[in-house]
């Protein structure tokens, strides 16, 4: 009797394990089959980071640490965080390991859009390798994507910190960019600051809907936008 119970228990366990395995296989089959295949994606997200928020958060985390290049050099407002290939659900990353190296000229050119070499390298390794493009072509695509999106004038040289509703920021981008709709853009935040704006683009750099991105937008009613360093002086220039 005892042996029979043990045998039945083993059989039940085996059946349960089989169901778990089958469920895992089905779940895997439902994920995007192009996972991490370079060049195989549906659209881009252009992520524009509000640099003053990054720098303020970095100071809070490490007040005694010397500021990095983004926070000690020229003043920045919205900067390109990255151009990210996306699936309709999820996204690829690190599609070539090790990634093809970037030469000095490519990095120098990218710094016109991005605030630090470290960010340039990171974005190429994680996202650029999934574009299916060469380094030159990827950063040229980033340049084209950035040229599509106009930053609202009020945010170019913000002279003092302001408190905004994320919807106000979306409205400002919609007004500055004819053809952009609420289903194409999402504002990101941490617990108190606006951190970034994400704009969804087709592979040909037209605005497009992206439900998964907009569903993850900031849900706070009010967030702070710290001032741009030297913003008052910049605003006073003709």
């Amino acid at each position: 009797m005892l042996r029979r119970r043990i045998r039945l228990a083993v059989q039940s366990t085996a059946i349960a394990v089989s169901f778990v395995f089958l469920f895992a296989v089905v779940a895997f089959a439902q994920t995007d089959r192009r996972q991490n295949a370079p060049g195989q994606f549906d659209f881009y997200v252009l992520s524009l980071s509000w640099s003053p928020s990054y720098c303020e958060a970095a100071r809070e985390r490490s007040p005694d640490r010397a500021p990095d290049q983004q926070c000690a050099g020229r003043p920045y407002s919205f900067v390109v965080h990255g151009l990210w290939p996306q699936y309709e659900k999820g996204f690829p990353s690190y599609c070539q390991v090790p990634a093809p190296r970037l030469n000095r000229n490519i990095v120098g050119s990218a710094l016109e859009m991005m605030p630090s070499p470290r960010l340039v390298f990171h974005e190429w390794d994680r996202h650029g390798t999934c574009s299916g493009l060469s380094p030159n072509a990827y950063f040229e695509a980033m340049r084209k994507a950035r040229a599509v999106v106009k930053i609202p004038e009020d945010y170019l040289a913000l002279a003092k910190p302001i408190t905004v509703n994320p919807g106000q920021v979306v409205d400002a981008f919609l007004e500055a960019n004819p053809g952009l709709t609420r289903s194409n853009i999402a504002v990101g935040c941490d617990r108190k600051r606006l951190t970034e704006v994400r704009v969804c683009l087709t592979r040909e750099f037209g605005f497009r809907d992206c439900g998964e991105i907009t569903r993850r937008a900031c849900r706070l009613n009010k967030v702070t936008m710290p001032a741009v360093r030297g913003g008052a002086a910049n605003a006073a220039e003709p």
Side-chain angles (χ1 to χ4, degrees), residues 28-237:
F28 178 80
Q30 291 176 342
T31 63
D32 199 299
R33 294 179 182 275
R34 298 166 297 175
Q35 186 69 30
N36 294 341
Q40 300 297 310
F41 62 96
D42 297 311
F43 65 100
Y44 285 116
V45 165
L46 176 68
S47 175
L48 299 171
S49 173
W50 182 245
S51 182
S53 289
Y54 168 84
C55 294
E56 186 172 280
R59 286 194 301 272
E60 291 175 358
R61 288 192 303 269
S62 305
D64 299 326
R65 184 177 178 179
D68 65 19
Q69 181 174 336
Q70 179 175 176
C71 306
R74 76 184 207 221
Y76 292 101
S77 54
F78 277 109
V79 295
V80 175
H81 180 176
L83 181 66
W84 304 337
Q86 301 281 304
Y87 303 133
E88 294 296 344
K89 293 185 178 181
F91 60 91
S93 62
Y94 297 108
C95 295
Q96 284 184 268
V97 180
R101 291 298 84 200
L102 303 178
N103 65 44
R104 183 178 302 177
N105 290 337
I106 291 175
V107 175
S109 177
L111 289 175
E112 297 174 5
M113 303 175 285
M114 307 175 79
S116 72
R118 185 170 71 173
L119 180 60
V120 173
F121 285 115
H122 171 77
E123 291 300 306
W124 165 246
D125 289 353
R126 184 174 187 184
H127 300 286
T129 56
C130 298
S131 67
L133 302 173
S134 68
N136 273 321
Y138 172 69
F139 286 101
E140 181 59 27
M142 184 183 290
R143 194 178 306 279
K144 290 178 179 177
R146 173 63 185 84
V148 166
V149 180
K150 183 178 180 181
I151 304 298
E153 188 173 348
D154 288 347
Y155 303 145
L156 294 177
L158 192 63
K160 59 182 180 180
I162 59 174
T163 299
V164 297
N165 177 281
Q168 291 177 279
V169 178
V170 170
D171 288 340
F173 272 84
L174 297 187
E175 184 176 354
N177 294 273
L180 184 68
T181 71
R182 293 183 182 279
S183 58
N184 311 153
I185 183 173
V187 170
C189 63
D190 59 19
R191 293 182 178 180
K192 57 183 177 181
R193 286 175 289 255
L194 182 144
T195 56
E196 66 181 347
V197 170
R198 296 180 178 182
V199 179
C200 300
L201 302 168
T202 67
R203 295 179 62 144
E204 295 75 34
F205 311 111
F207 300 130
R208 63 102 77 190
D209 293 356
C210 49
E212 189 177 47
I213 303 300
T214 55
R215 282 194 296 271
R216 296 201 302 266
C218 179
R219 300 304 180 191
L220 298 181
N221 289 326
K222 293 182 179 180
V223 290
T224 300
M225 293 182 71
V228 174
R229 285 180 298 108
N234 295 339
E237 293 178 0

